[in-house]
Amino acid sequence: MTYCVGLLLNEGMVLLSDTRTNAGLDNISCYKKMYTFEEPGERVIVILTAGSLSVTQTTLARLQEAIDDPDASEETSIMKARTMLKVADLVGAHLSEVANDITNKLVRNSQATASATMILGGQRKGGAMRLFLIYPEGNYIEATPDTPYLQVGEHKYGKPILDRVVSPTTSLMDGQKAALLSMDSTLRSNLSVGMPLDLAVLRDGDCALHEQRRIEQGDPVFAEMSQAWSAELKDAFTQIKI
Amino acid sequence: MTYCVGLLLNEGMVLLSDTRTNAGLDNISCYKKMYTFEEPGERVIVILTAGSLSVTQTTLARLQEAIDDPDASEETSIMKARTMLKVADLVGAHLSEVANDITNKLVRNSQATASATMILGGQRKGGAMRLFLIYPEGNYIEATPDTPYLQVGEHKYGKPILDRVVSPTTSLMDGQKAALLSMDSTLRSNLSVGMPLDLAVLRDGDCALHEQRRIEQGDPVFAEMSQAWSAELKDAFTQIKI
């Protein structure tokens, strides 16, 4: 399983993913689910992935191939596409094509299917920050001020905290905190979501990664935040009267 | 959808259910999902239901018929069965039989299936309090000190708070609070779970309902608790440093 979340705030964007992948219950591995593409000052794109690893890896490999192609054009490369909407189209098209290819192979042999879902956030110079959730079929929805966050994977455990504290006016720092606490609730309640975490922060207008870091298992800051949150929740619980 | 939760604490049991039922997205009704059976001082049984309404209503109707039957015996009536384990067997047997009957009818006509899941809590004189989760197939699991709560229906939104604050030594009052806050998180995040709520509280050894009440939409105490919890969570969020 997986948990990825993206926040679209007035100040910028926060994107966070876990790294746990499992094939069955007893084959658990660590794979990066965050992919970043950057031409600082010109364009920044972050993709978070959930679903079949063979689908997500192949999709990203094809997107990278298209970028590296000497004949790359605004029709083929997400680093040249004219708008973020066109980037979402390209990612969606590759995603659904790869999922179809793989499912065709699987169905012949095992009646299985494979698919994936992605979060795509980014900004090109002169354009607005945009955050999309791309469905396995290649269509997508976009975050708006009414619903300034998007989640993929095991999204339910971490939704209540987002519903309560995230709005477009939330600061980038509070956005990081909300995303990390949302992840913390998910980690506690579902073993198939696991550390380390990948965090990316984009500031509006920078068209570059403002911050990107990996939070390792046992990271003292995350561990302290997690313990403090537990303590605060227990305190809050004690304060409530019924 | 539905959310029901049962807590097995040293002091007693807390059982809570919502009342929203929907057939499709646009046919929403209010149905009780909590059924209580009581012979005060001798035996108390509470059943919470999630799943197809036709399955749960028919199952409960058959259990009631068996109780009312003049020939009711410890083999047929949950009010006469010798142990709570036998009660769980009876409920499970009726549940799987009804689900099978209904699914057979549905499959002939529409390829659909119907099933339900139940939480069963209770105590007979001289026995321990026991809390079961009964699966659609009639088998069941039981709450233990390691995992002193059971949930059915839309369980994920409300799990983080239970994971953090509920243990067997939690007081009955705090247990009610935890169940209500768990429900509150679920109500906020999933429209298919809705007010009013049914709450039952059992004290160990009473073999009777210590408290049973319906919490209506707009109930001032619940509304105040919900607002206070929101405020406390926002405060807690502000306190956390990253």
Side-chain angles (χ1 to χ4, degrees):
Chain A
M1 211 53 200
T2 290
Y3 179 49
C4 302
V5 57
L7 273 51
L8 178 63
L9 310 171
N10 295 342
E11 286 187 9
M13 284 198 267
V14 176
L15 298 119
L16 180 69
S17 66
D18 84 318
T19 53
R20 187 157 293 176
T21 301
N22 60 307
L25 283 174
D26 55 353
N27 187 355
I28 293 175
S29 319
C30 173
Y31 279 96
K32 191 178 66 158
K33 300 172 191 176
M34 174 181 285
Y35 299 83
T36 55
F37 304 86
E38 189 185 21
E39 190 185 336
E42 290 294 325
R43 176 175 307 226
V44 61
I45 294 171
V46 180
I47 296 176
L48 309 178
T49 64
S52 164
L53 188 62
S54 70
V55 173
T56 59
Q57 286 188 335
T58 308
T59 303
L60 268 297
R62 290 196 191 172
L63 289 170
Q64 187 64 53
E65 261 187 13
I67 292 170
D68 298 338
D69 187 332
D71 300 329
S73 73
E74 61 184 49
E75 298 301 322
T76 61
S77 161
I78 57 172
M79 292 307 280
K80 293 188 188 249
R82 290 189 56 196
T83 64
M84 279 302 298
L85 196 74
K86 181 69 189 164
V87 172
D89 277 333
L90 277 169
V91 174
H94 279 288
L95 174 60
S96 67
E97 188 184 305
V98 170
N100 270 332
D101 288 356
I102 293 179
T103 294
N104 285 339
K105 287 178 199 167
L106 290 174
V107 164
R108 272 205 302 277
N109 298 304
S110 66
Q111 299 298 318
T113 63
S115 71
T117 312
M118 296 187 176
I119 287 176
L120 164 71
Q123 187 171 25
R124 65 178 174 86
K125 194 173 168 182
M129 296 180 299
R130 296 181 77 168
L131 181 68
F132 299 90
L133 189 162
I134 302 179
Y135 290 106
E137 295 76 11
N139 57 331
Y140 44 80
I141 59 171
E142 189 170 359
T144 66
D146 284 333
T147 305
Y149 67 87
L150 295 170
Q151 305 169 291
V152 294
E154 184 60 276
H155 63 282
K156 293 186 181 182
Y157 301 112
K159 187 165 183 285
I161 178 70
L162 299 177
D163 281 339
R164 284 181 207 268
V165 303
V166 177
S167 78
T169 57
T170 302
S171 72
L172 264 185
M173 192 48 85
D174 277 355
Q176 287 179 62
K177 196 159 73 171
L180 288 166
L181 292 175
S182 172
M183 179 65 81
D184 183 56
S185 290
T186 312
L187 293 169
R188 268 187 91 96
S189 289
N190 190 325
L191 280 184
S192 73
V193 177
M195 304 277 284
L197 311 176
D198 287 314
L199 174 72
V201 180
L202 281 57
R203 276 202 319 206
D204 186 28
D206 280 4
C207 296
L209 288 162
H210 176 62
E211 186 180 345
Q212 181 177 22
R213 66 187 163 101
R214 170 153 288 198
I215 299 164
E216 298 287 348
Q217 179 86 44
D219 177 277
V221 176
F222 185 74
E224 195 180 314
M225 188 202 74
S226 174
Q227 281 158 23
W229 182 237
S230 246
E232 288 286 348
L233 279 186
K234 283 177 190 163
D235 268 10
F237 182 77
T238 311
Q239 294 306 317
I240 298 291
K241 304 276 172 276
I242 59 166
Chain B
M1 210 54 198
T2 290
Y3 179 49
C4 302
V5 57
L7 273 53
L8 178 64
L9 310 171
N10 294 343
E11 287 187 10
M13 284 199 267
V14 176
L15 299 119
L16 180 68
S17 66
D18 84 316
T19 52
R20 187 156 295 176
T21 302
N22 61 307
L25 282 174
D26 55 354
N27 187 355
I28 293 175
S29 319
C30 173
Y31 279 96
K32 191 179 66 160
K33 301 173 190 174
M34 174 180 287
Y35 299 83
T36 55
F37 303 87
E38 189 185 20
E39 190 186 338
E42 290 295 325
R43 177 175 306 226
V44 60
I45 294 171
V46 180
I47 296 177
L48 310 178
T49 64
S52 165
L53 188 61
S54 70
V55 172
T56 59
Q57 286 188 335
T58 308
T59 303
L60 267 297
R62 290 196 190 172
L63 288 169
Q64 187 64 52
E65 261 188 10
I67 293 169
D68 297 339
D69 187 335
D71 299 329
S73 73
E74 62 182 50
E75 298 302 321
T76 62
S77 162
I78 58 172
M79 291 308 279
K80 294 189 188 253
R82 290 188 57 196
T83 64
M84 279 301 299
L85 195 73
K86 182 66 190 165
V87 172
D89 277 333
L90 277 169
V91 174
H94 278 290
L95 174 60
S96 67
E97 188 183 306
V98 169
N100 270 333
D101 288 356
I102 294 180
T103 294
N104 286 339
K105 287 177 198 168
L106 290 174
V107 164
R108 273 204 303 275
N109 298 304
S110 66
Q111 299 297 321
T113 62
S115 70
T117 312
M118 296 186 177
I119 287 177
L120 163 71
Q123 187 171 26
R124 64 178 174 86
K125 194 174 168 181
M129 295 180 299
R130 296 180 76 168
L131 181 67
F132 299 91
L133 189 162
I134 302 178
Y135 290 107
E137 295 77 12
N139 57 332
Y140 44 79
I141 59 171
E142 189 171 358
T144 66
D146 285 334
T147 305
Y149 67 86
L150 295 170
Q151 304 169 291
V152 295
E154 185 59 277
H155 63 281
K156 294 186 180 182
Y157 301 112
K159 187 166 183 284
I161 178 71
L162 299 177
D163 282 340
R164 284 178 207 270
V165 303
V166 176
S167 77
T169 57
T170 302
S171 71
L172 263 185
M173 191 49 85
D174 277 355
Q176 287 180 62
K177 197 160 71 172
L180 288 168
L181 291 175
S182 172
M183 179 65 80
D184 183 54
S185 291
T186 312
L187 293 170
R188 269 186 90 96
S189 289
N190 190 325
L191 280 184
S192 73
V193 177
M195 304 278 284
L197 311 176
D198 287 314
L199 175 72
V201 180
L202 281 56
R203 275 203 319 209
D204 186 27
D206 280 5
C207 296
L209 288 161
H210 175 61
E211 186 180 347
Q212 181 177 22
R213 65 187 163 102
R214 169 153 289 196
I215 299 164
E216 297 288 349
Q217 180 87 45
D219 177 276
V221 177
F222 185 74
E224 197 180 311
M225 188 202 73
S226 174
Q227 281 158 24
W229 182 238
S230 246
E232 287 286 347
L233 278 185
K234 283 178 191 164
D235 268 11
F237 182 78
T238 311
Q239 295 305 317
I240 298 291
K241 305 275 174 277
I242 59 165

